[in-house]
Amino acid sequence: MLTMQDALARLTSYWTDQGCLVVQPMNTEVGAGTLNPATFLRVLGPEPWRVVYAEPSVRPDDSRYGENPNRLQTHTQLQVILKPDPGNPQELYLGSLAALGIDVAAHDVRFVEDNWASPALGAWGLGWEVWLDGLEITQFTYFQQAGGINLDPVSVEITYGIERIIMALQDKNHFKDIAYGPGISYGEVFGQTEYEMSRYYLDDADVAANRQLLDLYAAEAQRLIDAGLPVPAHTYVLKCSQAFNVLDARGAVSTADRAREFARMRRLAGEVAKLWVARRDELGHPLGRVEPPALARPVSTPAGKDGTRLLVFEIGTEELPPSECRAAQGAVERELRSGLAGTRLAHGDVRVFATPRRVVAVVTEVAAREDDHVRTVRGPKLAQAYGADGAPTKALEGFLRGQGATLDEVAEADFNGVRHVVLNRPETGGAAAEVLAPVLAKVVTGLRAAKNMRWRDPQLSYSRPIRWLMALWGDDVVPVTVGLLAAGRRTRVLRTAAAPEFEIASAETFMETLAFNGIVADPEDRRELIVTGAQDHVYPEGRVDVRGEAALIDQITYLVEAPTPLLGTFDESYLTLPDAVLTTVMRKHQRYLPVRDADGALLPMFVTVANGPVDVELVRNGNEAVLRARYEDAAFFYRADRSSAPAELRSRLERLTFTDKLGSMADRAGRISSLALALAADLELSSATLNRAAALVKFDQGSQLVTEMTSLAGLMARDYALHAGEPRAVAQAVYEAELPRNTGDDLPASLPGALLSLADRLDLVAGLAATVGLPTGSSDPFAVRRAVLGLLAVHRAHPALAGLSLTDALRRAAALQPVPVSGEVLAACAGFLAKRLEQTLTEEGNPIDRVRAVLPHADRPSVASNLLAQLASVTANPDFVAVAEAVQRARRIVPPSTPAGYDAGILKEPAEVALHSAVVAVAAELGPSPEPDLFRFTSVVSRLVAPLATFFDEVFVMADDAEIRAARLGLLATVRDLGAGLLDWPELQLR
Amino acid sequence: MLTMQDALARLTSYWTDQGCLVVQPMNTEVGAGTLNPATFLRVLGPEPWRVVYAEPSVRPDDSRYGENPNRLQTHTQLQVILKPDPGNPQELYLGSLAALGIDVAAHDVRFVEDNWASPALGAWGLGWEVWLDGLEITQFTYFQQAGGINLDPVSVEITYGIERIIMALQDKNHFKDIAYGPGISYGEVFGQTEYEMSRYYLDDADVAANRQLLDLYAAEAQRLIDAGLPVPAHTYVLKCSQAFNVLDARGAVSTADRAREFARMRRLAGEVAKLWVARRDELGHPLGRVEPPALARPVSTPAGKDGTRLLVFEIGTEELPPSECRAAQGAVERELRSGLAGTRLAHGDVRVFATPRRVVAVVTEVAAREDDHVRTVRGPKLAQAYGADGAPTKALEGFLRGQGATLDEVAEADFNGVRHVVLNRPETGGAAAEVLAPVLAKVVTGLRAAKNMRWRDPQLSYSRPIRWLMALWGDDVVPVTVGLLAAGRRTRVLRTAAAPEFEIASAETFMETLAFNGIVADPEDRRELIVTGAQDHVYPEGRVDVRGEAALIDQITYLVEAPTPLLGTFDESYLTLPDAVLTTVMRKHQRYLPVRDADGALLPMFVTVANGPVDVELVRNGNEAVLRARYEDAAFFYRADRSSAPAELRSRLERLTFTDKLGSMADRAGRISSLALALAADLELSSATLNRAAALVKFDQGSQLVTEMTSLAGLMARDYALHAGEPRAVAQAVYEAELPRNTGDDLPASLPGALLSLADRLDLVAGLAATVGLPTGSSDPFAVRRAVLGLLAVHRAHPALAGLSLTDALRRAAALQPVPVSGEVLAACAGFLAKRLEQTLTEEGNPIDRVRAVLPHADRPSVASNLLAQLASVTANPDFVAVAEAVQRARRIVPPSTPAGYDAGILKEPAEVALHSAVVAVAAELGPSPEPDLFRFTSVVSRLVAPLATFFDEVFVMADDAEIRAARLGLLATVRDLGAGLLDWPELQLR
């Protein structure tokens, strides 16, 4: 059996064979190998660097007394830095797994999107988690920034989680059982340390002492920065970080502390990085500079051919994130179509396919060359081309000289109706390869993702590195070059294939070569394979909810290019865990499809989709072990959480930051609670259930399970509250406070739940609007849009809440914030709400005019929504239409400034007197501020229909007599205002 | 070329092949691999443990900004722990060197005594530095105690200094030039860190902050101890240690601090160790317990033989320290002779030889068996054996029953003149093997050293492990067993020999087998080989001062068993360094013999003596490189020291502890200065030279060179003072203050030098007597005996100091101490001085009676010494003899209580009157308290010779008349007292 120490030795040896130095772990506590100066400092600046080292990585917060099978206060990382990117780091990495004896062709090794960022270090990168049969064994990152400084060249950072790898290889369920060395287990070597250091971090570390240490370290770091010594300064930044982590594990970090300390560490780390760069400059870069790689040179253009052939263009990438993969498919198609349109090359269908490792464009019947044509070159206006003597002007002469043409070649043509002299130049169409090359190059350079990164290519920037281009028009290579890449006829198939690269003879054989190698290029086909494959594999009584899991299936479709669905099972005993826990683990963490029986109950099995022709038994076993470990973890958390009272869990919210300026989660929960109770009091909806639920709201965010899986918030609250003996209604309300979690989710059914849900969202909107601003464009990190949609939905769902003005409620929420919320901000919030309501109502299929007509009630969405429903019916009622038309007619006639009211004594005409009487009666019946009810309004106001018709027929409003005119306008203004506040009448289109 | 990282990998791999675990370095700063819990904690308790790990070892005090070629603030140790002692750790270690590609047969690999102790950790062990061609590359220790706890089983600790090994293997002169990895140097990887961390440790570390850290760490360690958590507590002890080291490097540790912090760390480390042991007990020793090895069983005794044969007995050891080796030779001989004497085995010569790895006893003509003899068993007295009836008494019957004898066997014999009944029992002598076995076993078990250690043998304890026994009487193995060892016929020759073990057929061939394998068993022969070899090798004009280097040659004799002298050279430029610096390095650090020209000037060469048939060129080169590095170091220090003013160096004495209770070296220098000035004032010897020299005294102890080589104290003071422009006399006085450094050394020539020298030694004696006590037995850690001998020598050398009473001076010195010095202590000091003086004078060849006679002047040794010289001459003077005899006669006659003085009027007899007159005249001439001068005394007092003779002839002193008797006795008492205070007359033996 490969022991852990052997594994470390083998990996180290493998990477030294790849030219890496070996250095020792940092001799002060670090949370990760990244913090070792051999990474953090060395990735900065232009010097090359390749290193491998082990790093015992201390995570005080992960202390579990050695009891949790998968979590340790200190685990062992093996860290590799390759600077610059060698161009094939994934392949090198797979070689390292092989060096460990892992048969990468038999296992399912996958690169799953993972973007890494350390705000405290001003560092980030893009890359993957590497999965071995579903187990995350490595973090693989293209390091983009450190200490706030852009990295050039970019480094590849590979971080192996040794304990996990070894547990998988040795088939162990507890880290203590790892064979560490011959005849000695990990537990035997490190068990006591794991226990005691956990005790220190969780229970016994002196908080006051560690606070002092933190300050001393920070001061020392600053002094050393001031002294121009980045190396010792960095050491003290690391010590800061450890002291902070100890305090955090001891639960001694307040929100204010956290924000301040992160800012301080970020600043210090940034200054250290700057200083290091400056020092290396001063020292003249002792390790030299990375030479920029030579740009690709195009292959020679093939000789001209005839006929039409298939064009295939493959952009080979490292594993794209699913969303980017899908986006690339569209973008490439658009860019290619528009590029082709810019040429005169005849072609047939354009189709684009995408897998995680390639975007393939296929264009049928691409002509061998563009059609010949005549190019018209515009010269001066005719009027200015010849003098009065008919001789060419200087302008014409200059034009001819510039074009190298003579006067006898000149013709004439109109441009925008103006006659110009022109030159008609016949041009031969370009050969396909020649014409296509720049078009295809532009497709590549045009690729952009939501988050872009750099690698060794000096010209490209994209979601993940682009590693090869294959471009064939029939048998010929299209000589595309971009950055370091020159397109050729080589493609790559699965990395684990016996022959991972192929020469493609002609475009026409390409897709079958891919298919032959198991690669399903078309996402539709892959999806189908996954869905049918999953269904085929599950036991007869089980089924995969294809519709319910659509989003997950879509994601999986873009995670594999050679889908191999396979079934795994887990121990039935885990079914005692809540359904949501089980499925969250499957979906979010593992991308496994849950399997249910006919009644929708979970079965102890799952479907995972491997990539390529793996050893199914091996991969199944691996994935089952991973899920077991995850469930074991969840069960551990679940038991631990259940053993804590809700009040105790809630007290932990003190330690969770909401935002820097808006305090802790405890602060937020307090505000939600206050607000919900206040709203209830206003609405006379107070209840014991609400009181209790408000006291508990969000308590489950203090639980371990929700900390691990935030999407379980609310669900676990209900579970734990019930377990703790809370009344069912309270437990339900605390759950419902989190609803709706997304569009289409359930809404709170109970009023206490609804009030808490509203209060939650009101607090979020008011606080964030005042601090980070309302969302604009696609950026909405706190999901304020979703919160507002929830707000509207909850309000609309509960008639009892109809009286609640959301703008009033927002004002109340604002008053509870720890920051001032200005009137402008509140107005912006109201506008934002109204806009969301308009959008929602429209999306529900309501005509936009009616939606807009009810928008004055946007702050009471249920009112607006109710009016909209009435509108659908009353607009078919002639009385309503007549009234509405009258109102609109009055509105058109009466200047907006004219107030309602008039001297009734002035009115003499029978028609106007009759209208006056009718209006007085109607107004009296409607009352001063009626509830918005179109049915009643219509029935009351319909009595004006006849008098109004007569009035408009018989009375000339704009009488010469100013008094009479004023009285008549006043009468009409009164009519106009009878419906004021009910609808935005002008918006309503009546026919 | 083997890079440093390859070397680490190879050693790690070698030791894992030997069953070692690999762990990571400690993730907090440590000064040595020993501090890693994988050593410090794991050596405790009964559990087995084998581990190898690299340890970046931080020594803030060794910071040199990366400028010094051999000294780094962080160097890399590779640490190996073998618990229990595997029985062959040296052989395993040599295997590791071979794994590095070192041809251990070609190189000179030696195990040179080195005893390790860390008072701050309560830890110690015995072992060696391992030398590779003169370079210390490894520390090899049998770990005996940690945290004040005795280790059982004992661990073997092997600590490689990787940078040094690699520098040697790569033939580099500066650590920065080490090839660390392929194409990258150590300097390129670590140069900046080395510089910046040096800056931190030497210049920029904040003292106040590190003080606070130290206290916080210590408090946290204590809290964790109280919480029963040894692992985190240990971490904090390590942090204490680092903070302390930082403060120390910053020059911020006062004497009081140092003493307090060491005590605190020792206490904490001790508590951690206790706690760890207790926890492991509680946990039931998860790694099991080391099984005690099985004791040896003797081989069967050979069949009886005849004749006489040679006996050889070899005790094979790991390398004994030279002093122990020499002592063992004597001890084995004594023990063997006395053991043989207790047998009846006839034998010839007994000779014993010793080398570092063996003690060999050779006894010629050992008889095959003891002579047969008759043993007489004594029974009851004859008188009590038979009753009146002649029948045996009960006593006789009991005796016979007890002996299983019958009455007819009874005989008679005298014991002390009393007749007893006896039984004469013929006994057959034992066979040689049988008789010798217990004798030889006792020789082994009787071995004891000044410092003894334990290894895996459950029964033995000695200076170093005893690994084999070879015992042959002729062809037969003598079946000796001791502990794990059973003697056999196998011996071991050089470990690097092609066949390192041999079977010896018969005792007679043993010595030639050794010789054949290059081993020179007889130290006399080795010495001769070394001396002649050295002389043969040096260049014609050079010579080795065999007499001057006798002590070193003696030491070398016991450092090698196959001496191979070889000549090395060094760069002439180093000859600009002081002679003492060069020779100190050669002798003390390297055991090289200096080579001088006919005028005694050093030549740029040296002789080293390798062990065994090495590759001379290789070993020469290696040793030359080592010396070069050492000289480079010394030159670095020398330059640095010279660039500091003496006053600045002196200020550094504040940081050097003299003893816990007696303050810093600066305190001590201050006391010496005050005392010297005060004594000078008393003696009217004050001078500007003395004043200045007193202000500087001991300043060179603050220099780097003296810190490195303490034996250069004084010499460097003179050099640096002259360089700083001090007057020659001042420089000389500061040098002379250190004289004499040992017996036979030069004495101060100048009075200022002499006064400072005296003051130095007086301060030492007074302070230590009051705190640690005067030396007893062999324990004299502060060399108080030597100081006293110096004191006496200096006093005697300077007539100007004759007036100085050392007891008075001691009283003055006592008054300056920071601790009270009682009258009793001072009296003890005076007694100690007198005893040393007696010893010295006797050793100079003076008759003991005369020495004792002058001892009343012990507190003015020059007086005593002067009187002694006079005695040598006056004792040949009949007058003196007559006077002395008269004085002694008077003393015999007169009771001691009788005072001098008498009523002269009572004296009537002419002889007594004449004597009276003469006495009066003589007393008048001598004066009341004459200077002690035997010549003058004799010439004056000789006038009494005749009157005394007459008096004794004619006067009967003990007259009946009481008055007359009293007067006569008074007269004689006056005579007696004429010489009082001059000599201790009764001690003087006149014939």
Side-chain angles (χ1 to χ4, degrees), chain A residues 5-6 8 16 19-30 42 49 54-58 74 76 180-182 184 188-193 195-197 199-200 203-210 212-213 216-217 220 223-224 227-233 235-236 239 246 250 275-276 279-280 283 286-287, chain B residues 5-6 8 16 19-30 42 49 54-58 74 76 180-182 184 188-193 195-197 199-200 203-210 212-213 216-217 220 223-224 227-233 235-236 239 246 250 275-276 279-280 283 286-287:
Chain A
Q5 68 185 31
D6 289 343
L8 282 166
T16 52
C20 286
L21 294 180
V22 186
V23 299
Q24 300 303 326
M26 187 62 190
N27 62 354
T28 193
E29 295 92 338
V30 292
R42 293 289 181 172
W49 185 247
E55 190 72 69
S57 299
V58 183
T74 297
T76 310
Y180 181 81
I184 191 164
E188 285 167 333
V189 184
F190 299 113
Q192 187 178 344
T193 298
Y195 170 78
E196 291 194 18
M197 293 311 296
R199 278 283 305 275
Y200 181 68
D203 307 314
D204 290 278
D206 190 59
V207 168
N210 277 280
Q212 279 182 275
L213 289 176
L216 284 167
Y217 293 150
E220 202 67 348
R223 288 185 57 261
L224 293 164
L229 298 172
V231 175
T235 304
Y236 275 100
K239 289 178 192 286
V246 173
R250 288 282 284 126
L275 203 52
W276 170 267
R279 289 283 300 137
R280 298 304 286 182
L283 293 170
L287 302 184
Chain B
Q5 68 185 29
D6 290 342
L8 283 167
T16 51
C20 286
L21 294 180
V22 187
V23 300
Q24 301 303 326
M26 187 62 191
N27 63 354
T28 193
E29 295 93 337
V30 291
R42 293 289 182 173
W49 186 247
E55 190 72 70
S57 299
V58 183
T74 298
T76 311
Y180 181 80
I184 190 164
E188 287 168 333
V189 184
F190 299 113
Q192 186 178 344
T193 298
Y195 170 77
E196 291 194 19
M197 293 311 296
R199 278 282 306 278
Y200 181 68
D203 307 315
D204 290 276
D206 190 58
V207 169
N210 277 279
Q212 279 182 275
L213 289 177
L216 284 167
Y217 294 150
E220 202 67 348
R223 286 186 57 261
L224 293 163
L229 299 171
V231 175
T235 304
Y236 275 100
K239 289 177 193 287
V246 172
R250 289 281 285 122
L275 204 51
W276 170 268
R279 289 283 299 138
R280 299 303 286 184
L283 293 170
L287 303 183

Side-chain angles (χ1 to χ4, degrees), chain A residues 695-745:
Chain A
L696 293 178
V697 70
K698 293 210 171 294
F699 80 91
D700 61 341
Q701 305 233 3
S703 72
Q704 297 188 49
L705 203 46
V706 174
T707 302
E708 287 299 302
M709 293 183 262
T710 49
S711 66
L712 295 176
L715 284 166
M716 298 325 298
R718 180 170 57 189
D719 185 300
Y720 296 156
L722 286 173
H723 180 75
E726 296 289 338
R728 183 159 294 276
V730 169
Q732 182 66 17
V734 180
Y735 162 57
E736 290 180 350
E738 302 297 330
L739 300 181
R741 290 158 299 194
N742 46 52
T743 314
D745 193 12

Side-chain angles (χ1 to χ4, degrees), chain A residues 93-156:
Chain A
Y93 169 75
L94 291 175
S96 77
L97 296 187
L100 284 180
I102 298 174
D103 179 351
V104 292
H107 284 276
D108 182 31
V109 180
R110 273 193 280 161
F111 292 84
V112 181
E113 170 187 17
D114 194 43
N115 301 331
W116 174 83
S118 166
L121 290 175
W124 68 273
L126 300 188
W128 309 272
E129 307 175 342
V130 184
W131 284 12
L132 176 73
D133 304 334
L135 178 71
E136 180 193 344
I137 57 171
T138 302
Q139 189 80 27
F140 192 118
T141 306
Y142 288 91
F143 214 139
Q144 302 289 308
Q145 206 179 63
I149 295 176
N150 285 328
L151 303 182
D152 183 17
V154 161
S155 293
V156 176

